[in-house]
Amino acid sequence: DAGDGGAAEPELPVLPGPARYNFGTVRTCSRELAGTVLLRPRSRHEWFACLVEMAALADEAAARAARRLKARAPLPSLPLAYIADRIDMDEPLWGYQLRDEKNGYLLGYIAVTTFTTWAREFSWDSTHPAAHLAAMRAANARVRRLQAEGYETDPAYHVVGDDEPQSIRSIAARLGMDRETLVRLNRPRIAQLTQKSRLESGSALLVTTSADRDVHVLGKACTVEEAAARLGVETADLLALNAPEGAADAPLPPPSLPAGAKPPPAPLRAHTKLKRGTALRASYREGEPDVARPPAELAERAVDDGSLAAALNACTRGGDPADTGVVWERVAEISLLAALGCGAWLVALCIDELAAGDTYDFIVLQAALGAVPFYEKLGFVRVGAVARYARSGEDLSTIPVVPYYHWAASDQSTAQLDQFGDVSYMMGLDLRPARASMRARAA
C-alpha cells in the first residue's frame, strides 16, 4: 500500500543512525537489475527509518556522476534536511526502494506525491519573460543553424586534440589568439586557468566573445518578425532577448556590440523596421542554466514551447498557500530520487504506474542541473513556472512576477528569495499520450 501519512501512524522516532556500510563499496546496478529486490514502503514511518541511508546514497550517486562527467566541481546532492522535509510534508507519499537482495544495501529510491505550491500567486508559463526560457529556445535555434551548416561540435569552442601541444601558450599560438584573451574567456569556467597552464586532451576552450557568439548583425533591412524567421527563433523570444534595458520584464543586460553595429530601436515590436547593420542578440549563453554537459556539445535542450505549460495551468487546483498549500489534483511530482544505476528504471516504473491509473495527467519535478540530461532522456522537458512572492497584506499587483522557487513560503518577500539558491529548474511530462497508447494496446 502507499503510505499516506495518516494520523494513525506512530510518532516518528529520533533521527536514525548512520548506514552500517560504506556506500563507496556498494555496486552499481546492472541493466538487468540482477540480485535486487523492489520494496514499497508502507508508511511515512518506514521512509523515515531509512533517512540517513537515503542521504548517504544521494551523496554517493552525485559523486559517481561527477566522476563520470569529469565535472570540475561537485554535483549537488539531496541534503538530509531536504529529504526529511519531503518525508514529513509530502501528502500523499508513496514510492519504491531497490535493495541488494543478498546484503540489503540500498541501491536506489524514488518518492512521488501530489504537486503543491505555496506562493501567493503561481502559474505555469513558458513564454513569460520571467520564466527565462527564451535564451534556451534561442540556443536550440542556434544549434539547428550550426548543424544545418555542417558543424558537429560548437565552433565557439576549441577541443584540445591528442596530437596537439597542451600548454596555453602553444594552443593560443595555434589558434592565432592572444594568451591573455584566451585565459580571460575561459577563467569563468576553469577557475585556476593561467597563461602557464597545461590542458588534457579533450579539454574544451571558449574561443569567441559573447558579441561574436550571440549577436547577429543584419546584412539588410527587415522587420523583427522577418529577422526571427531567418534565425529560426520565435518572434516573442527574439523580442525578449532584445528588450531595451529598463523595460518591464526585461531581465537581460544589453549585449556587447561588434564594431560599427547599431543597437535596435526602442520600443521594439514584431513589425519594427530594422536598418542594415542593426545588431540583434540571437542567443544568450549566459542566460542558459549551467546544465552539466560537454562544453563543445552541439545538442538541443528539451524545453517547452508553451503548450505543456498551458495544459498544466488548465489543471484543477485548490487550497490556501498560507496553510496546506495549493494542491494540483491532477499533477504528480517526483519529490525524491537517488540511485546507483537504476534511476531510469525507477522513474519509468512510476511513469507506467501513473499512466496506467487515472489519478494524474501530468508528472513534474524540480531537477538538479546535473540531472537534466538524465530526465531529458526519459521524455521530460523544461517548463516555465513564475510566481509572485509577498508578505500577507501586501498588494500583489505591486509585486513583480519572478521565476518560481519551489520551497519559498507564501509570506516570503521577493528580496528574500536569494536564500533559496537558484531558481527552480522545473521539468514536466504529459502522461496522457502514454495512457492512450496503453488503452489502445489493451483494446
Side-chain angles (χ1 to χ4, degrees):
D1 296 333
D4 61 5
E9 288 193 13
E11 183 179 349
L12 294 179
V14 296
L15 190 67
R20 295 177 180 172
Y21 52 95
N22 178 2
F23 268 96
T25 65
V26 175
R27 66 185 177 92
T28 297
C29 287
S30 66
R31 186 180 298 272
E32 300 77 21
L33 304 181
T36 64
V37 59
L38 183 67
L39 305 175
R40 182 160 178 158
R42 295 170 297 178
S43 68
R44 202 176 301 272
H45 189 278
E46 289 188 5
W47 280 105
F48 188 82
C50 306
L51 176 61
V52 178
E53 195 179 13
M54 292 167 68
L57 171 61
D59 290 343
E60 180 61 26
R64 293 187 191 185
R67 291 195 294 269
R68 185 173 65 254
L69 295 169
K70 297 181 180 179
R72 296 182 178 275
L75 296 179
S77 178
L78 294 175
L80 186 145
Y82 177 81
I83 298 173
D85 279 348
R86 299 296 326 223
I87 292 174
D88 181 43
M89 297 177 64
D90 284 356
E91 181 64 40
L93 172 67
W94 65 273
Y96 296 99
Q97 296 179 3
L98 193 71
R99 291 185 176 270
D100 184 276
E101 188 175 25
K102 179 180 179 181
N103 300 306
Y105 298 160
L106 184 62
L107 301 173
Y109 59 88
I110 186 169
V112 182
T113 187
T114 300
F115 182 67
T116 304
T117 56
W118 282 270
R120 285 185 58 191
E121 181 179 290
F122 169 88
S123 63
W124 297 102
D125 190 340
S126 295
T127 60
H128 195 287
H132 292 184
L133 298 194
M136 290 187 66
R137 287 189 291 263
N140 285 345
R142 177 177 177 271
V143 168
R144 293 191 292 271
R145 291 197 304 272
L146 291 172
Q147 289 175 335
E149 294 172 16
Y151 287 98
E152 296 182 357
T153 58
D154 191 337
Y157 291 87
H158 172 75
V159 180
V160 179
D162 293 333
D163 60 337
E164 289 191 61
Q166 299 178 353
S167 69
I168 286 291
R169 178 191 297 269
S170 300
I171 294 171
R174 187 165 186 170
L175 296 173
M177 292 184 68
D178 177 78
R179 282 177 289 166
E180 183 178 351
T181 300
L182 189 60
V183 170
R184 176 176 50 80
L185 286 173
N186 289 278
R187 190 167 283 161
R189 294 176 43 249
I190 310 173
Q192 304 302 318
L193 190 67
T194 70
Q195 294 185 35
K196 297 180 180 180
S197 295
R198 297 185 64 84
L199 298 177
E200 298 177 359
S201 61
S203 298
L205 290 171
L206 186 63
V207 295
T208 60
T209 65
S210 61
D212 294 330
R213 185 174 68 252
D214 295 337
V215 175
H216 174 77
V217 179
L218 297 178
K220 63 178 182 178
C222 64
T223 65
V224 172
E225 193 172 45
E226 291 168 340
R230 292 174 190 170
L231 293 168
V233 181
E234 292 294 328
T235 301
D237 289 338
L238 191 61
L239 289 169
L241 291 173
N242 291 275
E245 192 172 22
D249 298 322
L252 307 182
S256 300
L257 301 183
K262 302 181 286 288
L268 198 62
R269 298 187 176 90
H271 298 294
T272 299
K273 192 75 172 179
L274 303 173
K275 296 180 179 178
R276 181 176 182 274
T278 299
L280 291 173
R281 176 187 269 136
S283 61
Y284 184 50
R285 180 66 186 89
E286 287 76 7
E288 300 171 54
D290 194 17
V291 173
R293 61 176 177 179
E297 180 184 65
L298 202 59
E300 295 185 49
R301 294 262 71 90
V303 57
D304 178 38
D305 61 4
S307 57
L308 178 58
L312 281 164
N313 221 41
C315 288
T316 302
R317 68 270 197 183
D320 184 353
D323 187 13
T324 57
V326 177
V327 179
W328 295 68
E329 298 175 4
R330 305 290 296 178
V331 183
E333 178 190 359
I334 296 177
S335 58
L336 297 171
L337 174 69
L340 301 178
C342 56
W345 184 84
L346 287 169
V347 174
L349 175 68
C350 289
I351 290 174
D352 287 347
E353 183 171 340
L354 292 169
D358 197 31
T359 302
Y360 298 103
D361 291 328
F362 302 91
I363 184 168
V364 300
L365 55 91
Q366 176 183 327
L369 294 182
V372 168
F374 165 83
Y375 286 115
E376 288 179 340
K377 291 177 182 177
L378 293 169
F380 287 85
V381 302
R382 189 179 186 192
V383 60
V386 296
R388 295 183 201 260
Y389 296 93
R391 297 190 181 280
S392 177
E394 285 189 88
D395 181 3
L396 275 182
S397 66
T398 66
I399 304 300
V401 175
V402 297
Y404 176 57
Y405 291 78
H406 193 30
W407 280 100
S410 62
D411 62 349
Q412 301 290 159
S413 68
T414 302
Q416 295 174 310
L417 294 176
D418 286 345
Q419 67 180 287
F420 296 97
D422 292 332
V423 300
S424 295
Y425 194 110
M426 302 302 296
M427 303 187 76
L429 176 69
D430 189 340
L431 295 166
R432 295 172 298 177
R435 179 176 296 138
S437 178
M438 286 180 178
R439 291 176 177 174
R441 290 196 302 268

